[in-house]
Amino acid sequence: MDNRGGFDLRRVLLFRGLNGCDLTALLAKARQEAAVRGSTFFNECDDALHCRLLVAGRIKLVQTSTDGNQVVTRFVAPGEMFGWAQVLGASVYPGSAEAMVDSVALTWDAASMRSALAAHPVLALNALELLGARLREAQDRLREVATERVERRVARALLRLARQSARPTGEGVEIGFPVTRQDLAETTGATLHTVSRILAAWEHSGILAGSRQRIVLLHPGRLETLAEDGG
Amino acid sequence: MDNRGGFDLRRVLLFRGLNGCDLTALLAKARQEAAVRGSTFFNECDDALHCRLLVAGRIKLVQTSTDGNQVVTRFVAPGEMFGWAQVLGASVYPGSAEAMVDSVALTWDAASMRSALAAHPVLALNALELLGARLREAQDRLREVATERVERRVARALLRLARQSARPTGEGVEIGFPVTRQDLAETTGATLHTVSRILAAWEHSGILAGSRQRIVLLHPGRLETLAEDGG
DNA sequence: CGGTTTCTTGATCAACGTCAATATGAGTGG
DNA sequence: CCACTCATATTGACGTTGATCAAGAAACCG
Protein backbone atom coordinates (compact mmCIF):
# COMPACT_ATOMS: atom_id res chain seq x y z
CA MET A 1 0.00 0.00 0.00
CA ASP A 2 0.93 3.56 -0.59
CA ASN A 3 2.21 5.80 2.09
CA ARG A 4 2.25 9.18 0.56
CA GLY A 5 3.43 12.30 2.28
CA GLY A 6 4.60 10.30 5.25
CA PHE A 7 1.02 9.71 6.30
CA ASP A 8 -0.76 6.43 6.81
CA LEU A 9 -3.81 6.71 4.65
CA ARG A 10 -5.44 3.63 6.06
CA ARG A 11 -6.08 5.65 9.18
CA VAL A 12 -8.22 8.13 7.31
CA LEU A 13 -11.78 7.54 8.41
CA LEU A 14 -13.19 8.21 4.97
CA PHE A 15 -11.18 5.33 3.55
CA ARG A 16 -11.98 2.82 6.26
CA GLY A 17 -13.11 -0.47 4.76
CA LEU A 18 -11.85 0.36 1.30
CA ASN A 19 -9.61 -2.37 -0.09
CA GLY A 20 -5.97 -1.69 -0.86
CA CYS A 21 -6.37 -1.77 -4.61
CA ASP A 22 -9.17 0.74 -4.74
CA LEU A 23 -7.34 2.93 -2.29
CA THR A 24 -4.24 2.93 -4.45
CA ALA A 25 -6.31 3.77 -7.51
CA LEU A 26 -7.95 6.63 -5.68
CA LEU A 27 -4.61 7.92 -4.51
CA ALA A 28 -3.27 7.85 -8.02
CA LYS A 29 -5.79 10.51 -8.88
CA ALA A 30 -4.71 12.87 -6.16
CA ARG A 31 -2.02 15.46 -6.35
CA GLN A 32 -0.11 17.03 -3.54
CA GLU A 33 -0.46 20.65 -2.61
CA ALA A 34 1.27 22.76 0.02
CA ALA A 35 0.41 25.99 1.77
CA VAL A 36 2.75 27.96 3.96
CA ARG A 37 1.55 29.41 7.21
CA GLY A 38 -0.92 32.22 6.61
CA SER A 39 -1.73 31.32 3.01
CA THR A 40 -4.91 29.58 1.91
CA PHE A 41 -5.78 26.45 -0.03
CA PHE A 42 -8.86 28.21 -1.31
CA ASN A 43 -10.92 31.27 -0.55
CA GLU A 44 -14.55 31.82 0.22
CA CYS A 45 -16.61 32.00 -2.99
CA ASP A 46 -13.91 30.42 -5.15
CA ASP A 47 -15.32 27.87 -7.56
CA ALA A 48 -15.28 24.60 -5.69
CA LEU A 49 -13.41 22.38 -8.12
CA HIS A 50 -11.53 20.21 -5.66
CA CYS A 51 -11.76 18.44 -2.37
CA ARG A 52 -8.85 17.83 -0.08
CA LEU A 53 -7.37 15.69 2.63
CA LEU A 54 -5.05 17.37 5.08
CA VAL A 55 -1.87 15.31 5.35
CA ALA A 56 0.25 17.54 7.54
CA GLY A 57 -0.14 20.84 9.31
CA ARG A 58 -3.28 22.54 10.53
CA ILE A 59 -6.03 24.43 8.76
CA LYS A 60 -8.81 26.70 9.88
CA LEU A 61 -11.97 27.10 7.84
CA VAL A 62 -13.18 30.67 8.04
CA GLN A 63 -16.41 32.30 6.92
CA THR A 64 -16.56 36.04 6.50
CA SER A 65 -19.83 37.92 6.68
CA THR A 66 -20.64 40.93 4.56
CA ASP A 67 -19.70 43.32 7.35
CA GLY A 68 -16.26 41.78 7.65
CA ASN A 69 -16.85 39.71 10.74
CA GLN A 70 -15.23 36.31 10.67
CA VAL A 71 -16.19 32.97 12.13
CA VAL A 72 -14.03 29.88 12.32
CA THR A 73 -16.27 27.00 11.35
CA ARG A 74 -13.72 24.28 11.95
CA PHE A 75 -10.11 23.48 12.72
CA VAL A 76 -8.85 20.70 10.48
CA ALA A 77 -6.32 18.16 11.75
CA PRO A 78 -4.23 15.82 9.57
CA GLY A 79 -6.30 12.90 8.33
CA GLU A 80 -9.46 14.97 7.93
CA MET A 81 -11.05 15.98 4.67
CA PHE A 82 -11.95 19.57 3.93
CA GLY A 83 -13.36 21.60 1.08
CA TRP A 84 -16.08 19.09 0.18
CA ALA A 85 -18.38 21.80 -1.11
CA GLN A 86 -18.71 20.72 -4.72
CA VAL A 87 -19.03 17.05 -3.87
CA LEU A 88 -21.90 18.02 -1.62
CA GLY A 89 -23.77 20.04 -4.15
CA ALA A 90 -22.49 23.57 -3.68
CA SER A 91 -20.73 25.33 -6.50
CA VAL A 92 -18.48 27.57 -4.43
CA TYR A 93 -16.64 27.11 -1.16
CA PRO A 94 -18.60 28.47 1.78
CA GLY A 95 -15.40 29.56 3.52
CA SER A 96 -11.66 29.92 3.16
CA ALA A 97 -9.10 27.33 4.24
CA GLU A 98 -6.16 29.06 5.86
CA ALA A 99 -3.00 27.26 6.94
CA MET A 100 -2.22 27.96 10.60
CA VAL A 101 1.16 26.29 10.15
CA ASP A 102 2.88 25.10 6.98
CA SER A 103 0.56 22.43 5.63
CA VAL A 104 0.28 19.74 2.99
CA ALA A 105 -2.90 18.34 1.45
CA LEU A 106 -3.86 15.73 -1.09
CA THR A 107 -6.18 17.18 -3.68
CA TRP A 108 -8.77 15.47 -5.85
CA ASP A 109 -10.96 17.08 -8.38
CA ALA A 110 -14.54 16.97 -7.26
CA ALA A 111 -15.70 14.91 -10.23
CA SER A 112 -13.38 11.99 -9.56
CA MET A 113 -14.26 12.02 -5.89
CA ARG A 114 -17.92 11.94 -6.82
CA SER A 115 -17.41 8.97 -9.10
CA ALA A 116 -15.39 7.21 -6.42
CA LEU A 117 -18.24 7.75 -3.98
CA ALA A 118 -20.69 6.36 -6.50
CA ALA A 119 -18.46 3.36 -7.23
CA HIS A 120 -17.71 2.42 -3.64
CA PRO A 121 -20.73 2.39 -1.36
CA VAL A 122 -18.52 1.99 1.66
CA LEU A 123 -16.92 5.30 0.83
CA ALA A 124 -20.29 7.01 0.55
CA LEU A 125 -21.45 5.58 3.86
CA ASN A 126 -18.25 6.70 5.53
CA ALA A 127 -18.75 10.14 4.07
CA LEU A 128 -22.30 10.24 5.41
CA GLU A 129 -21.11 9.32 8.87
CA LEU A 130 -18.38 11.92 8.87
CA LEU A 131 -20.69 14.56 7.57
CA GLY A 132 -23.29 13.57 10.13
CA ALA A 133 -20.76 14.01 12.90
CA ARG A 134 -19.90 17.42 11.54
CA LEU A 135 -23.52 18.44 11.37
CA ARG A 136 -24.02 17.42 14.96
CA GLU A 137 -20.98 19.39 15.96
CA ALA A 138 -22.23 22.45 14.11
CA GLN A 139 -25.59 22.15 15.82
CA ASP A 140 -23.98 21.77 19.21
CA ARG A 141 -21.99 24.90 18.65
CA LEU A 142 -25.12 26.67 17.48
CA ARG A 143 -26.83 25.73 20.70
CA GLU A 144 -23.84 26.92 22.70
CA VAL A 145 -23.57 30.27 21.00
CA ALA A 146 -27.31 30.77 21.26
CA THR A 147 -27.69 29.90 24.92
CA GLU A 148 -24.41 30.01 26.78
CA ARG A 149 -22.15 32.67 28.24
CA VAL A 150 -18.90 33.54 26.56
CA GLU A 151 -16.79 32.14 29.38
CA ARG A 152 -18.31 28.73 29.02
CA ARG A 153 -17.98 28.78 25.27
CA VAL A 154 -14.30 29.60 25.53
CA ALA A 155 -13.84 26.76 28.00
CA ARG A 156 -15.49 24.36 25.60
CA ALA A 157 -13.49 25.63 22.66
CA LEU A 158 -10.25 25.06 24.52
CA LEU A 159 -11.28 21.55 25.50
CA ARG A 160 -12.21 20.77 21.91
CA LEU A 161 -8.86 22.05 20.70
CA ALA A 162 -7.08 20.02 23.34
CA ARG A 163 -8.99 16.91 22.36
CA GLN A 164 -8.16 17.40 18.70
CA SER A 165 -4.53 18.17 19.26
CA ALA A 166 -3.19 17.62 22.74
CA ARG A 167 0.57 17.75 23.25
CA PRO A 168 1.46 16.68 26.79
CA THR A 169 3.99 18.94 28.46
CA GLY A 170 5.68 18.89 31.83
CA GLU A 171 2.98 20.80 33.59
CA GLY A 172 -0.13 20.15 31.53
CA VAL A 173 -1.63 19.70 28.11
CA GLU A 174 -0.49 22.07 25.43
CA ILE A 175 -2.55 22.84 22.37
CA GLY A 176 -0.35 21.63 19.57
CA PHE A 177 -0.51 24.51 17.14
CA PRO A 178 -0.50 28.29 17.34
CA VAL A 179 -3.86 29.76 18.36
CA THR A 180 -4.36 33.49 18.72
CA ARG A 181 -6.94 35.10 20.98
CA GLN A 182 -8.51 36.31 17.78
CA ASP A 183 -8.88 32.70 16.61
CA LEU A 184 -10.54 31.78 19.86
CA ALA A 185 -12.80 34.78 19.60
CA GLU A 186 -13.82 33.74 16.10
CA THR A 187 -14.64 30.19 17.15
CA THR A 188 -16.70 31.29 20.11
CA GLY A 189 -18.47 34.31 18.71
CA ALA A 190 -16.85 36.78 21.08
CA THR A 191 -14.35 39.62 20.74
CA LEU A 192 -10.66 39.11 21.25
CA HIS A 193 -10.86 41.54 24.15
CA THR A 194 -13.29 39.42 26.07
CA VAL A 195 -11.31 36.29 25.30
CA SER A 196 -8.12 37.96 26.46
CA ARG A 197 -9.74 38.98 29.73
CA ILE A 198 -11.10 35.50 30.33
CA LEU A 199 -7.78 33.83 29.65
CA ALA A 200 -6.00 36.35 31.86
CA ALA A 201 -8.37 35.48 34.69
CA TRP A 202 -7.77 31.79 34.19
CA GLU A 203 -4.02 32.23 34.10
CA HIS A 204 -4.37 34.11 37.32
CA SER A 205 -6.25 31.28 38.97
CA GLY A 206 -3.84 28.65 37.68
CA ILE A 207 -6.17 26.90 35.26
CA LEU A 208 -3.94 27.54 32.31
CA ALA A 209 -0.69 29.09 31.22
CA GLY A 210 0.21 30.57 27.92
CA SER A 211 2.24 32.93 25.93
CA ARG A 212 1.85 34.35 22.49
CA GLN A 213 -0.16 31.86 20.43
CA ARG A 214 0.55 29.11 22.93
CA ILE A 215 -1.91 27.75 25.44
CA VAL A 216 -1.25 25.10 28.07
CA LEU A 217 -4.12 23.68 30.04
CA LEU A 218 -2.80 23.12 33.54
CA HIS A 219 -6.09 21.96 34.94
CA PRO A 220 -8.42 20.47 32.32
CA GLY A 221 -10.71 19.22 35.06
CA ARG A 222 -11.48 22.70 36.28
CA LEU A 223 -12.06 23.83 32.71
CA GLU A 224 -14.55 21.02 32.28
CA THR A 225 -16.39 22.20 35.36
CA LEU A 226 -16.55 25.67 33.87
CA ALA A 227 -17.73 24.22 30.57
CA GLU A 228 -20.48 22.16 32.07
CA ASP A 229 -22.16 23.43 35.16
CA GLY A 230 -20.96 26.96 34.90
CA GLY A 231 -19.11 26.72 38.22
CA MET B 1 -45.83 4.27 -8.96
CA ASP B 2 -46.94 4.50 -5.40
CA ASN B 3 -48.57 7.53 -3.98
CA ARG B 4 -48.74 6.90 -0.30
CA GLY B 5 -50.23 9.27 2.18
CA GLY B 6 -51.43 11.56 -0.58
CA PHE B 7 -47.88 12.62 -1.25
CA ASP B 8 -45.90 12.37 -4.46
CA LEU B 9 -42.76 10.57 -3.44
CA ARG B 10 -40.99 11.23 -6.71
CA ARG B 11 -40.69 14.81 -5.57
CA VAL B 12 -38.63 13.84 -2.55
CA LEU B 13 -35.09 15.00 -3.21
CA LEU B 14 -33.55 11.99 -1.55
CA PHE B 15 -35.26 9.70 -4.06
CA ARG B 16 -34.41 11.69 -7.15
CA GLY B 17 -32.94 9.48 -9.84
CA LEU B 18 -34.09 6.27 -8.19
CA ASN B 19 -36.05 4.05 -10.57
CA GLY B 20 -39.66 3.21 -9.91
CA CYS B 21 -39.03 -0.39 -8.96
CA ASP B 22 -36.45 0.38 -6.36
CA LEU B 23 -38.57 3.17 -5.01
CA THR B 24 -41.54 0.86 -4.61
CA ALA B 25 -39.36 -1.70 -2.87
CA LEU B 26 -38.05 0.92 -0.51
CA LEU B 27 -41.53 2.16 0.23
CA ALA B 28 -42.65 -1.35 1.03
CA LYS B 29 -40.29 -1.30 3.96
CA ALA B 30 -41.71 1.87 5.43
CA ARG B 31 -44.55 2.16 7.83
CA GLN B 32 -46.72 5.14 8.48
CA GLU B 33 -46.71 7.02 11.73
CA ALA B 34 -48.72 9.97 12.95
CA ALA B 35 -48.21 12.57 15.64
CA VAL B 36 -50.80 15.03 16.81
CA ARG B 37 -49.91 18.63 17.40
CA GLY B 38 -47.65 18.99 20.39
CA SER B 39 -46.56 15.35 20.55
CA THR B 40 -43.20 14.06 19.35
CA PHE B 41 -42.00 11.43 16.91
CA PHE B 42 -39.00 10.88 19.13
CA ASN B 43 -37.20 12.60 21.99
CA GLU B 44 -33.68 13.74 22.51
CA CYS B 45 -31.46 10.87 23.67
CA ASP B 46 -33.91 8.17 22.56
CA ASP B 47 -32.18 5.28 20.85
CA ALA B 48 -32.07 6.19 17.18
CA LEU B 49 -33.63 3.13 15.61
CA HIS B 50 -35.48 4.78 12.75
CA CYS B 51 -35.31 7.48 10.18
CA ARG B 52 -38.28 9.31 8.82
CA LEU B 53 -39.76 11.24 5.94
CA LEU B 54 -42.33 13.88 6.74
CA VAL B 55 -45.35 13.37 4.52
CA ALA B 56 -47.75 15.90 5.97
CA GLY B 57 -47.71 18.51 8.69
CA ARG B 58 -44.79 20.35 10.16
CA ILE B 59 -42.08 19.35 12.62
CA LYS B 60 -39.55 21.24 14.64
CA LEU B 61 -36.31 19.62 15.77
CA VAL B 62 -35.39 20.87 19.21
CA GLN B 63 -32.24 20.47 21.27
CA THR B 64 -32.35 21.07 24.98
CA SER B 65 -29.23 21.98 26.93
CA THR B 66 -28.52 20.82 30.44
CA ASP B 67 -29.81 24.07 31.92
CA GLY B 68 -33.14 23.69 30.18
CA ASN B 69 -32.58 26.15 27.40
CA GLN B 70 -33.93 25.04 24.05
CA VAL B 71 -32.80 25.63 20.50
CA VAL B 72 -34.73 24.83 17.35
CA THR B 73 -32.22 23.29 14.98
CA ARG B 74 -34.60 22.96 12.06
CA PHE B 75 -38.15 23.22 10.87
CA VAL B 76 -39.09 20.23 8.71
CA ALA B 77 -41.48 20.59 5.80
CA PRO B 78 -43.27 17.74 4.02
CA GLY B 79 -40.92 15.94 1.65
CA GLU B 80 -37.92 16.32 3.93
CA MET B 81 -36.23 13.55 5.88
CA PHE B 82 -35.55 13.87 9.59
CA GLY B 83 -34.13 11.77 12.38
CA TRP B 84 -31.20 10.45 10.36
CA ALA B 85 -29.05 10.09 13.45
CA GLN B 86 -28.44 6.36 13.39
CA VAL B 87 -27.91 6.22 9.66
CA LEU B 88 -25.23 8.84 10.15
CA GLY B 89 -23.37 7.08 12.89
CA ALA B 90 -24.94 8.40 16.07
CA SER B 91 -26.67 6.02 18.44
CA VAL B 92 -29.20 8.43 19.89
CA TYR B 93 -31.18 11.33 18.48
CA PRO B 94 -29.48 14.65 19.11
CA GLY B 95 -32.83 16.39 19.51
CA SER B 96 -36.59 15.86 19.73
CA ALA B 97 -38.99 16.01 16.81
CA GLU B 98 -42.14 17.83 17.85
CA ALA B 99 -45.21 18.14 15.65
CA MET B 100 -46.25 21.79 15.29
CA VAL B 101 -49.46 20.65 13.61
CA ASP B 102 -50.88 17.16 13.23
CA SER B 103 -48.31 15.32 11.15
CA VAL B 104 -47.67 12.10 9.31
CA ALA B 105 -44.34 10.49 8.56
CA LEU B 106 -43.04 7.42 6.77
CA THR B 107 -40.69 5.49 8.99
CA TRP B 108 -37.87 3.14 8.08
CA ASP B 109 -35.67 1.29 10.45
CA ALA B 110 -32.17 2.61 10.23
CA ALA B 111 -30.69 -0.71 9.12
CA SER B 112 -32.82 -0.99 6.01
CA MET B 113 -32.16 2.61 5.10
CA ARG B 114 -28.46 1.97 5.46
CA SER B 115 -28.62 -1.04 3.18
CA ALA B 116 -30.65 0.92 0.66
CA LEU B 117 -27.99 3.61 0.68
CA ALA B 118 -25.31 0.99 0.16
CA ALA B 119 -27.26 -0.66 -2.65
CA HIS B 120 -28.15 2.49 -4.56
CA PRO B 121 -25.26 4.89 -5.03
CA VAL B 122 -27.60 7.54 -6.36
CA LEU B 123 -29.40 7.49 -3.04
CA ALA B 124 -26.15 7.92 -1.13
CA LEU B 125 -25.07 10.82 -3.32
CA ASN B 126 -28.44 12.49 -2.88
CA ALA B 127 -28.11 12.04 0.86
CA LEU B 128 -24.67 13.61 0.79
CA GLU B 129 -25.98 16.60 -1.09
CA LEU B 130 -28.88 17.09 1.25
CA LEU B 131 -26.69 16.71 4.27
CA GLY B 132 -24.17 19.10 2.79
CA ALA B 133 -26.88 21.68 2.34
CA ARG B 134 -27.91 21.20 5.92
CA LEU B 135 -24.38 21.58 7.15
CA ARG B 136 -24.01 24.81 5.23
CA GLU B 137 -27.23 26.07 6.68
CA ALA B 138 -26.12 25.20 10.19
CA GLN B 139 -22.84 27.01 9.63
CA ASP B 140 -24.60 30.04 8.27
CA ARG B 141 -26.79 30.18 11.31
CA LEU B 142 -23.75 29.76 13.50
CA ARG B 143 -22.16 32.75 11.83
CA GLU B 144 -25.33 34.76 12.25
CA VAL B 145 -25.77 34.00 15.91
CA ALA B 146 -22.10 34.65 16.55
CA THR B 147 -21.86 37.96 14.74
CA GLU B 148 -25.24 39.55 14.16
CA ARG B 149 -27.78 41.48 16.19
CA VAL B 150 -30.98 39.84 17.30
CA GLU B 151 -33.13 42.01 15.08
CA ARG B 152 -31.34 40.89 11.98
CA ARG B 153 -31.45 37.26 13.03
CA VAL B 154 -35.19 37.47 13.53
CA ALA B 155 -35.58 39.05 10.11
CA ARG B 156 -33.60 36.23 8.54
CA ALA B 157 -35.53 33.58 10.43
CA LEU B 158 -38.81 34.98 9.17
CA LEU B 159 -37.56 35.06 5.61
CA ARG B 160 -36.38 31.48 5.88
CA LEU B 161 -39.73 30.41 7.23
CA ALA B 162 -41.50 32.26 4.46
CA ARG B 163 -39.29 30.62 1.87
CA GLN B 164 -39.97 27.19 3.27
CA SER B 165 -43.67 27.67 3.63
CA ALA B 166 -45.17 30.76 2.09
CA ARG B 167 -48.93 31.01 1.84
CA PRO B 168 -49.94 34.05 -0.20
CA THR B 169 -52.72 36.08 1.38
CA GLY B 170 -54.59 39.17 0.36
CA GLU B 171 -52.15 41.59 1.83
CA GLY B 172 -48.88 39.66 1.96
CA VAL B 173 -47.16 36.36 2.54
CA GLU B 174 -48.33 34.33 5.48
CA ILE B 175 -46.17 31.74 7.16
CA GLY B 176 -48.11 28.57 6.64
CA PHE B 177 -48.04 27.03 10.07
CA PRO B 178 -48.34 28.21 13.65
CA VAL B 179 -45.18 29.84 14.97
CA THR B 180 -44.99 31.21 18.49
CA ARG B 181 -42.67 34.02 19.59
CA GLN B 182 -41.04 31.38 21.72
CA ASP B 183 -40.32 29.31 18.59
CA LEU B 184 -38.77 32.33 16.92
CA ALA B 185 -36.73 33.02 20.02
CA GLU B 186 -35.44 29.48 20.02
CA THR B 187 -34.42 29.59 16.38
CA THR B 188 -32.62 32.88 16.77
CA GLY B 189 -31.02 32.47 20.15
CA ALA B 190 -32.96 35.27 21.80
CA THR B 191 -35.65 35.50 24.45
CA LEU B 192 -39.31 35.59 23.60
CA HIS B 193 -39.49 39.03 25.19
CA THR B 194 -36.99 40.49 22.79
CA VAL B 195 -38.67 38.80 19.83
CA SER B 196 -42.05 40.10 20.93
CA ARG B 197 -40.72 43.66 21.14
CA ILE B 198 -39.11 43.41 17.73
CA LEU B 199 -42.24 42.07 16.08
CA ALA B 200 -44.32 44.73 17.81
CA ALA B 201 -42.06 47.39 16.36
CA TRP B 202 -42.34 45.88 12.89
CA GLU B 203 -46.10 45.64 13.13
CA HIS B 204 -46.07 49.26 14.08
CA SER B 205 -44.09 50.24 11.01
CA GLY B 206 -46.21 48.11 8.70
CA ILE B 207 -43.61 45.49 7.81
CA LEU B 208 -45.71 42.65 9.07
CA ALA B 209 -48.99 41.77 10.66
CA GLY B 210 -49.82 38.95 12.94
CA SER B 211 -51.90 37.50 15.62
CA ARG B 212 -51.44 34.59 17.93
CA GLN B 213 -49.12 32.10 16.21
CA ARG B 214 -49.77 33.70 12.86
CA ILE B 215 -47.35 35.95 11.02
CA VAL B 216 -47.94 37.73 7.73
CA LEU B 217 -45.09 39.46 6.00
CA LEU B 218 -46.56 42.57 4.43
CA HIS B 219 -43.28 43.87 3.13
CA PRO B 220 -40.70 41.11 2.54
CA GLY B 221 -38.47 43.60 0.76
CA ARG B 222 -38.04 45.75 3.82
CA LEU B 223 -37.38 42.67 5.89
CA GLU B 224 -34.66 41.69 3.46
CA THR B 225 -33.08 45.09 3.87
CA LEU B 226 -33.12 44.61 7.61
CA ALA B 227 -31.66 41.14 7.19
CA GLU B 228 -28.83 42.24 4.96
CA ASP B 229 -27.43 45.67 5.44
CA GLY B 230 -28.89 46.28 8.83
CA GLY B 231 -30.92 49.26 7.60
C1' DC C 1 -66.47 30.44 32.51
C1' DG C 2 -62.17 29.28 34.72
C1' DG C 3 -57.75 27.86 33.43
C1' DT C 4 -53.91 27.83 30.47
C1' DT C 5 -51.04 29.29 27.00
C1' DT C 6 -49.44 33.06 24.40
C1' DC C 7 -48.31 37.71 24.04
C1' DT C 8 -47.26 42.53 25.56
C1' DT C 9 -44.90 46.01 27.93
C1' DG C 10 -42.27 48.40 31.52
C1' DA C 11 -38.20 48.73 34.68
C1' DT C 12 -33.74 47.31 35.83
C1' DC C 13 -29.27 45.33 35.28
C1' DA C 14 -25.27 42.83 33.78
C1' DA C 15 -22.62 40.79 30.17
C1' DC C 16 -20.09 41.98 26.78
C1' DG C 17 -18.93 44.96 22.97
C1' DT C 18 -16.66 49.31 21.76
C1' DC C 19 -13.21 52.71 22.14
C1' DA C 20 -8.73 53.84 23.45
C1' DA C 21 -4.16 53.44 25.02
C1' DT C 22 -0.18 50.77 25.86
C1' DA C 23 2.78 46.76 26.23
C1' DT C 24 5.29 42.87 24.39
C1' DG C 25 7.38 39.98 21.50
C1' DA C 26 8.82 38.35 16.80
C1' DG C 27 10.51 39.14 12.51
C1' DT C 28 13.22 42.16 9.15
C1' DG C 29 16.29 44.90 6.95
C1' DG C 30 20.12 48.01 7.51
C1' DC D 1 23.28 43.40 16.44
C1' DC D 2 20.16 46.95 16.71
C1' DA D 3 16.36 49.80 15.27
C1' DC D 4 12.14 49.50 13.33
C1' DT D 5 7.77 47.62 12.33
C1' DC D 6 3.99 44.79 12.63
C1' DA D 7 1.10 41.47 14.73
C1' DT D 8 -0.47 40.07 19.03
C1' DA D 9 -1.92 40.79 23.62
C1' DT D 10 -3.37 43.41 27.87
C1' DT D 11 -6.14 46.48 30.41
C1' DG D 12 -9.17 50.30 31.64
C1' DA D 13 -13.33 53.23 30.99
C1' DC D 14 -17.71 53.44 29.13
C1' DG D 15 -22.04 52.41 26.50
C1' DT D 16 -25.48 49.37 24.61
C1' DT D 17 -27.82 45.32 23.65
C1' DG D 18 -30.58 42.27 25.17
C1' DA D 19 -31.53 39.32 29.37
C1' DT D 20 -34.00 39.23 33.62
C1' DC D 21 -37.66 40.38 36.66
C1' DA D 22 -42.38 41.52 37.08
C1' DA D 23 -47.09 42.21 35.98
C1' DG D 24 -50.88 42.01 33.32
C1' DA D 25 -53.73 41.49 28.91
C1' DA D 26 -55.62 38.80 25.34
C1' DA D 27 -56.84 34.73 23.05
C1' DC D 28 -57.99 29.91 23.05
C1' DC D 29 -59.96 25.46 25.10
C1' DG D 30 -62.29 22.32 27.47
Side-chain angles (χ1 to χ4, degrees):
Chain A
M1 177 148 343
D2 205 344
N3 189 341
R4 201 152 164 183
F7 191 82
D8 185 354
L9 287 154
R10 284 162 300 184
R11 293 254 179 77
V12 176
L13 291 177
L14 180 67
F15 299 146
R16 179 178 294 196
L18 199 64
N19 72 53
C21 261
D22 292 338
L23 185 49
T24 313
L26 191 54
L27 287 180
K29 291 194 199 139
R31 71 168 207 281
Q32 223 163 20
E33 200 178 3
V36 300
R37 179 174 182 169
S39 68
T40 59
F41 281 97
F42 53 79
N43 291 302
E44 195 164 351
C45 299
D46 283 357
D47 285 342
L49 304 172
H50 304 282
C51 65
R52 293 172 175 83
L53 169 70
L54 187 62
V55 176
R58 186 75 47 160
I59 302 287
K60 61 175 174 181
L61 299 175
V62 183
Q63 280 193 14
T64 307
S65 55
T66 44
D67 58 345
N69 260 328
Q70 296 199 323
V71 171
V72 174
T73 54
R74 190 162 66 105
F75 293 106
V76 181
E80 296 176 8
M81 305 281 312
F82 64 104
W84 279 83
Q86 173 64 57
V87 178
L88 303 175
S91 60
V92 298
Y93 296 112
S96 321
E98 184 186 330
M100 305 180 76
V101 296
D102 295 352
S103 297
V104 180
L106 287 181
T107 302
W108 285 266
D109 58 72
S112 45
M113 185 53 80
R114 273 185 84 92
S115 60
L117 287 168
H120 305 292
V122 67
L123 216 54
L125 286 177
N126 286 346
L128 278 171
E129 283 197 18
L130 290 170
L131 206 56
R134 251 193 251 164
L135 180 62
R136 284 192 297 276
E137 198 200 311
Q139 286 175 341
D140 281 349
R141 283 183 59 196
L142 183 64
R143 184 177 44 68
E144 282 174 28
V145 176
T147 66
E148 279 163 13
R149 299 269 136 97
V150 173
E151 192 181 47
R152 198 183 286 199
R153 306 206 299 265
V154 175
R156 278 198 217 272
L158 287 177
L159 290 169
R160 260 195 290 261
L161 287 174
R163 221 173 298 132
Q164 198 195 35
S165 145
R167 173 187 294 171
T169 319
E171 273 309 305
V173 180
E174 182 182 346
I175 289 170
F177 56 98
V179 182
T180 66
R181 315 283 137 132
Q182 182 71 40
D183 289 331
L184 274 176
E186 287 171 4
T187 59
T188 52
T191 58
L192 94 153
H193 308 271
T194 303
V195 170
S196 181
R197 278 183 249 264
I198 288 171
L199 294 196
W202 286 345
E203 280 188 53
H204 211 73
S205 59
I207 293 176
L208 56 81
S211 54
R212 189 164 248 252
Q213 306 199 357
R214 255 184 78 251
I215 298 173
V216 184
L217 311 187
L218 301 176
H219 226 304
R222 275 163 76 188
L223 258 195
E224 256 153 35
T225 309
L226 286 167
E228 273 149 42
D229 29 87
Chain B
M1 177 142 353
D2 205 344
N3 190 342
R4 202 154 164 180
F7 190 83
D8 186 353
L9 286 155
R10 282 162 302 183
R11 291 255 179 78
V12 176
L13 291 177
L14 179 66
F15 300 146
R16 177 179 294 196
L18 200 63
N19 72 52
C21 261
D22 293 336
L23 185 48
T24 312
L26 191 54
L27 287 180
K29 291 195 199 140
R31 71 167 207 280
Q32 224 164 20
E33 200 179 1
V36 301
R37 180 175 181 169
S39 68
T40 59
F41 282 98
F42 52 79
N43 291 303
E44 194 164 352
C45 300
D46 282 357
D47 285 342
L49 304 172
H50 304 282
C51 66
R52 293 172 175 82
L53 168 70
L54 187 63
V55 175
R58 187 75 48 160
I59 302 287
K60 62 176 172 180
L61 299 175
V62 183
Q63 281 194 14
T64 308
S65 55
T66 44
D67 58 347
N69 260 328
Q70 295 199 323
V71 172
V72 173
T73 54
R74 191 161 66 105
F75 293 106
V76 181
E80 296 176 7
M81 305 281 312
F82 65 104
W84 277 84
Q86 172 64 58
V87 178
L88 303 175
S91 59
V92 297
Y93 297 112
S96 321
E98 184 186 329
M100 305 181 76
V101 296
D102 294 353
S103 298
V104 180
L106 287 180
T107 302
W108 286 267
D109 56 72
S112 46
M113 186 52 81
R114 274 185 83 93
S115 60
L117 287 167
H120 305 292
V122 67
L123 215 54
L125 286 177
N126 286 346
L128 278 171
E129 282 197 19
L130 290 171
L131 206 56
R134 254 194 249 161
L135 181 62
R136 284 192 296 277
E137 198 202 310
Q139 285 175 344
D140 281 349
R141 285 183 59 196
L142 184 63
R143 183 176 45 67
E144 282 175 26
V145 176
T147 66
E148 279 163 14
R149 300 268 139 96
V150 172
E151 192 180 47
R152 196 181 288 198
R153 305 206 301 265
V154 174
R156 277 198 217 274
L158 287 177
L159 290 169
R160 259 195 292 262
L161 286 174
R163 220 171 300 132
Q164 198 195 33
S165 146
R167 173 187 294 170
T169 320
E171 273 307 306
V173 180
E174 181 182 348
I175 290 170
F177 56 97
V179 182
T180 66
R181 316 282 137 135
Q182 181 70 41
D183 288 332
L184 273 176
E186 286 170 4
T187 59
T188 53
T191 58
L192 95 152
H193 307 269
T194 303
V195 170
S196 179
R197 277 183 247 265
I198 288 171
L199 293 196
W202 286 345
E203 280 187 54
H204 211 73
S205 59
I207 294 176
L208 55 81
S211 53
R212 192 166 244 251
Q213 307 199 354
R214 253 184 81 253
I215 298 173
V216 184
L217 311 187
L218 300 176
H219 226 306
R222 276 164 77 189
L223 258 194
E224 255 152 36
T225 310
L226 286 166
E228 272 149 41
D229 28 271

